[in-house]
Amino acid sequence: VQLQAFGGGLVQPGGSLRLSCAASGFRLGVYSVGWFRQAPGKEREAVSCLSYRDRRTFYRDSVKGRFTISRDIDKSTFYLQMDNLKPEDTAVYYCARSGYYLTSSGDCFGGRPFESWGQGTLVTVSS
C-alpha cells in the first residue's frame, strides 16, 4: 500500500493549486479518502473527505466553496483542487485512506480512523 502526494508549492493569495495523491497496492474505489493538513505549530486537521461508496464529500467550514475533492479510479489517483487560496491555508498537506464508509462530517473530522498515509506536500500561500 502506498500513497504519494504531490502538487504543493508556493502560490500567491487568491491563486490555485491542485494536489494529487497517487494510490498503489490497493483498489482505490473501495476506500474512502481524505486530505489533511498541518500548519506550523498546530495539530493536524482534516480538510476534506470522499466516501467510497456514494462519493459523498465533506469539507471543513474554512475551505467550503474553495476546495474540491475528487478521484479518478482509472488513474488510481485522488485530488484536492484548491482555489482562492489564503495565507491561512499554508500547511503541509497529507493524503490518506480509510476502510470505513463515511456517512457524516463527523466520520471525516475525527470519527473514523485513516490507516494509511502519504508523505506530505507543502503548500505555501504568500505574496
Side-chain angles (χ1 to χ4, degrees):
V1 174
Q2 188 173 12
L3 296 169
Q4 191 169 14
F6 54 96
L10 173 64
V11 62
Q12 292 187 341
S16 297
L17 281 175
R18 187 175 80 158
L19 305 183
S20 301
C21 185
S24 60
F26 66 98
R27 290 175 56 204
L28 182 61
V30 297
Y31 285 87
S32 298
V33 295
W35 287 95
F36 299 74
R37 68 186 180 188
Q38 186 166 21
K42 295 186 177 181
E43 293 187 353
R44 187 174 62 194
E45 61 184 18
V47 176
S48 180
C49 300
L50 186 150
S51 189
Y52 76 87
R53 189 177 300 171
D54 53 10
R55 294 182 292 174
R56 290 181 65 183
T57 56
F58 307 96
Y59 300 92
R60 69 181 308 106
D61 288 345
S62 61
V63 308
K64 284 182 180 177
R66 300 189 297 122
F67 289 12
T68 304
I69 189 171
S70 63
R71 71 180 186 187
D72 186 328
I73 298 298
D74 292 338
K75 294 182 178 179
S76 196
T77 302
F78 60 101
Y79 307 94
L80 185 69
Q81 176 68 40
M82 306 185 295
D83 298 318
N84 190 22
L85 281 159
K86 303 177 180 181
E88 52 265 40
D89 296 318
T90 295
V92 177
Y93 284 71
Y94 300 88
C95 58
R97 74 163 198 187
S98 173
Y100 287 91
Y101 169 48
L102 310 180
T103 61
S104 69
S105 60
D107 288 344
C108 176
F109 301 113
R112 294 295 189 182
F114 283 73
E115 72 276 3
S116 297
W117 294 80
Q119 89 293 356
T121 184
L122 176 62
V123 172
T124 303
V125 185
S126 175
S127 56

